[in-house]
Amino acid sequence: MSIRLQLFGDSPVTKETSDIEIASIITPESKGDNHNDSGIDLLTPLSNELSWKPRNDRKSLDARRSLFSGKRLSDDDLFEESPCTKKQRQTTTTTEISDEQNQDIKEAVERLESRDLIADGSRDYILPTIPGKHSDLKSITSETMVDVINGKYDKEMDKVTIVDCRYPYEFEGGHIKDAVNMYTKDDVHSLLQKPVTSERRHILIFHCEFSSERGPKMYRFLRSEDRNLNKCEYPSLNFPEVYLLHGGYKEFYQTYQEYCDPISFKPMLHEDHGEDLRHFRVKSKSWTAGEKQTSNRRHRSRLNRNLSF
């Protein structure tokens, strides 16, 4: 009886059937020897070459699992960190750092609320302030401004910048000596990009014609952008000490004309600058976009009349 009949027929396999013969029947391609077409021995343990390939496949599978499961492989498993894994690791690190700073932030907030300190909580204000129209801002008088110009506080500050937020034609018609003209958000961004290297104080003093709208808005915008720029190092700021000139340029000019250059005053609603007013209000309209207008009817009427020229 043939070996195939002994294996699959009714008769049991006889003792004379060898393992080699059975292997040749189960694997027809074996041609009766112990090897298949690949040259791998069927009856002996797999060679080192065959066992290495599956391990390599497992490494690829582990790498794919790591990328999509949120787990990072060790340096021994991956020679080069993928962009996806790197971004995830950086995000995790940032979150951990932020968590560690929570207590410091809480302490800084409590310190700022408990004392009248400059916005980074590092020290007291240099200049004497007064209750102004804008309770959230620090206001100074024209007398204090003159003291600053005359150098009374030079030993305590490194530099002072007087920021005139009026339109250019107003600024050119008369301004406080050494003031700079800034009336757009781009001007604020440019100011914040300047390097801060001095350990001493660089003070800013904002104002406009009356210090009722444009000056305060510029002040608040700078503080907001400064906070955003230094959000990872709260409460640090590029410009922690900022003031608002109470009464604006008009009030200052009425008392201290000798500190103005040229010695003159040109109001925003000057009858000769209706076209200039229209131009610069459009250019700086982002200051009031989306905000509630607080001007009274009289002011709007005067504005509309001048815009008609």
Side-chain angles (χ1 to χ4, degrees):
M1 182 179 295
S2 67
I3 297 176
R4 183 175 297 276
L5 181 59
Q6 292 177 13
L7 285 174
F8 302 106
D10 296 330
S11 302
V13 178
T14 62
K15 293 182 180 180
E16 288 78 14
T17 305
S18 68
D19 292 338
I20 295 176
E21 289 177 319
I22 294 175
S24 66
I25 296 172
I26 296 175
T27 310
E29 298 83 1
S30 61
K31 299 180 182 180
D33 59 13
N34 294 339
H35 297 79
N36 62 7
D37 292 339
S38 65
I40 299 176
D41 196 332
L42 293 174
L43 301 179
T44 58
L46 294 175
S47 67
N48 290 335
E49 181 182 6
L50 184 60
S51 62
W52 175 84
K53 289 183 179 180
R55 286 200 297 271
N56 189 50
D57 292 339
R58 287 195 299 272
K59 183 184 294 186
S60 299
L61 180 59
D62 290 342
R64 290 195 295 271
R65 287 177 177 173
S66 174
L67 289 177
F68 295 105
S69 66
K71 297 180 180 179
R72 180 184 172 218
L73 291 179
S74 65
D75 293 337
D76 293 332
D77 295 326
L78 286 177
F79 295 102
E80 184 176 355
E81 188 176 26
S82 70
C84 179
T85 307
K86 183 177 181 181
K87 182 177 180 180
Q88 185 180 57
R89 177 174 56 81
Q90 290 174 341
T91 302
T92 303
T93 302
T94 302
T95 303
E96 291 173 352
I97 293 176
S98 178
D99 291 340
E100 293 174 357
Q101 291 178 337
N102 279 341
Q103 186 59 37
D104 292 338
I105 292 175
K106 291 179 181 179
E107 293 176 357
V109 172
E110 292 174 356
R111 187 167 62 253
L112 288 170
E113 291 178 345
S114 62
R115 292 180 55 191
D116 189 23
L117 303 174
I118 63 175
D120 65 358
S122 62
R123 50 203 170 196
D124 296 323
Y125 283 91
I126 294 177
L127 306 182
T129 60
I130 62 170
K133 181 180 178 181
H134 305 272
S135 60
D136 60 318
L137 308 179
K138 295 296 181 181
S139 297
I140 63 170
T141 63
S142 295
E143 291 77 13
T144 300
M145 174 69 88
V146 170
D147 288 338
V148 171
I149 295 173
N150 289 334
K152 180 178 178 178
Y153 301 97
D154 284 357
K155 291 183 179 180
E156 300 176 74
M157 66 177 71
D158 180 50
K159 182 178 180 181
V160 59
T161 300
I162 302 171
V163 182
D164 190 328
C165 303
R166 297 177 299 156
Y167 299 139
Y169 67 88
E170 300 173 79
F171 181 81
E172 293 167 2
H175 58 267
I176 299 173
K177 290 180 179 179
D178 298 324
V180 295
N181 190 207
M182 297 184 182
Y183 66 98
T184 67
K185 291 184 177 182
D186 288 340
D187 293 331
V188 171
H189 291 147
S190 297
L191 181 62
L192 287 171
Q193 293 305 314
K194 294 181 179 180
V196 180
T197 56
S198 176
E199 294 295 330
R200 299 171 66 192
R201 309 188 192 190
H202 183 175
I203 291 175
L204 303 179
I205 304 175
F206 286 88
H207 76 85
C208 54
E209 184 175 351
F210 304 104
S211 288
S212 61
E213 184 176 354
R214 290 174 289 176
K217 285 181 179 179
M218 181 77 90
Y219 182 147
R220 293 187 182 103
F221 181 72
L222 175 128
R223 177 53 50 77
S224 175
E225 293 298 291
D226 203 350
R227 282 289 185 210
N228 186 58
L229 184 66
N230 294 279
K231 61 184 177 182
C232 294
E233 300 177 1
Y234 183 89
S236 297
L237 291 167
N238 287 15
F239 299 99
E241 192 163 359
V242 184
Y243 300 91
L244 181 71
L245 175 62
H246 181 74
Y249 179 75
K250 182 177 181 180
E251 185 174 308
F252 183 88
Y253 175 78
Q254 290 172 346
T255 309
Y256 300 102
Q257 294 185 10
E258 66 272 24
Y259 291 92
C260 300
D261 181 28
I263 301 177
S264 64
F265 166 63
K266 184 170 290 187
M268 182 183 74
L269 299 178
H270 194 283
E271 60 182 8
D272 294 336
H273 292 276
E275 188 62 33
D276 291 330
L277 175 58
R278 178 184 292 105
H279 169 75
F280 290 115
R281 282 191 73 87
V282 170
K283 189 172 182 180
S284 61
K285 65 181 180 180
S286 58
W287 286 111
T288 57
E291 297 182 9
K292 181 179 179 180
Q293 300 301 310
T294 59
S295 300
N296 57 34
R297 289 185 179 181
R298 182 180 177 185
H299 178 76
R300 290 197 301 268
S301 177
R302 291 174 61 205
L303 176 62
N304 292 333
R305 184 170 62 254
N306 280 274
L307 287 176
S308 65
F309 290 124

